[in-house]
């Protein structure tokens, strides 16, 4: 089988897996990283949202063969290290706003929120309601109002 090398949460990893295996299965089944959740497998629910080189992606739609050794995958497990803390400010905002009910989608929601904040900062602007509307991660418990409040709180501390 072919080998695929990339960085995961700051560490270089190599996996021996077929080219067409999706990154989500590599993360969960081979590397034991369970933060990105399997929800739909077709890039719709976004429960698996993680970062590829700082941008939000859905590992269920990324074949491992598309990764290069220089690519950095960050999952919810590695998010705090990006700010050198025990919790990322967005994770703390989620706690402060009591967002989670079942919690299944929350890692993907947080990763999408962080990517959105980073993008708006790079663009030199504040997050708008339209930006928040653009987050398409599905929450089956319907905590969207608390999610939006947490993003607004988290952005203040990022």
């Amino acid at each position: 089988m072919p080998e695929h090398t990339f960085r995961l949460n700051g560490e270089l990893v190599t996996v021996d897996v077929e080219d067409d295996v999706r990154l989500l299965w590599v993360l969960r089944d081979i590397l034991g990283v369970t933060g990105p959740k399997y929800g739909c497998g077709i890039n719709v629910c976004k429960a698996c949202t993680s970062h590829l080189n700082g941008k939000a992606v859905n590992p269920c739609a990324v074949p491992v063969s598309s990764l290069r050794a220089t690519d950095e995958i960050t999952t919810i497990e590695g998010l705090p290290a990006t700010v050198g803390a025990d919790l990322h400010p967005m994770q703390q905002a989620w706690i402060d706003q009591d967002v989670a009910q079942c919690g299944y989608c929350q890692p993907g929601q947080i990763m999408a929120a962080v990517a959105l904040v980073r993008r708006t900062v790079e663009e030199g602007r504040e997050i708008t309601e339209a930006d928040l509307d653009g987050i398409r991660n599905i929450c089956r418990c319907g905590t969207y109002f608390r999610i939006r409040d947490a993003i607004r709180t988290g952005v203040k501390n990022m």
Side-chain angles (χ1 to χ4, degrees):
M1 271 190 258
E3 285 188 346
H4 303 279
T5 300
F6 55 93
R7 297 190 68 75
L8 172 63
N9 297 327
E11 294 184 29
L12 195 63
V13 297
T14 299
V15 294
D16 189 17
V17 65
E18 294 297 332
D19 289 342
D20 63 347
V21 174
R22 300 299 177 183
L23 177 58
L24 180 60
W25 305 126
V26 171
L27 294 173
R28 292 184 60 81
D29 296 344
I30 296 172
L31 298 173
V33 176
T34 58
K37 304 296 188 229
Y38 172 72
C40 67
I42 57 171
N43 200 23
V44 173
C45 77
K46 305 192 183 310
C48 63
T49 303
S50 299
H51 294 169
L52 170 58
N53 302 324
K55 308 253 186 264
V57 297
N58 298 105
C60 70
V62 177
V64 71
S65 62
S66 69
L67 298 177
R68 304 293 170 246
T70 56
D71 286 334
E72 174 75 34
I73 302 297
T74 305
T75 65
I76 193 76
E77 291 88 348
L79 190 61
T82 65
V83 293
D86 291 335
L87 285 177
H88 187 278
M90 195 62 74
Q91 290 173 300
Q92 186 61 55
W94 243 249
I95 293 168
D96 295 345
Q97 296 296 323
D98 196 25
V99 172
Q101 282 187 20
C102 82
Y104 195 80
C105 70
Q106 299 311 304
Q109 297 274 4
I110 291 169
M111 297 303 285
V114 170
L116 171 64
V117 171
R118 286 181 182 157
R119 189 185 80 223
T120 59
V121 167
E122 286 173 7
E123 293 171 0
R125 61 183 186 83
E126 294 185 16
I127 288 183
T128 65
E129 290 301 311
D131 290 323
L132 295 176
D133 291 344
I135 294 178
R136 294 292 184 213
N137 295 56
I138 295 172
C139 174
R140 288 158 183 86
C141 299
T143 64
Y144 296 109
F145 290 106
R146 290 192 306 233
I147 289 168
R148 292 169 82 99
D149 287 345
I151 294 170
R152 289 184 198 104
T153 299
V155 75
K156 295 174 188 173
N157 298 316
M158 283 181 61

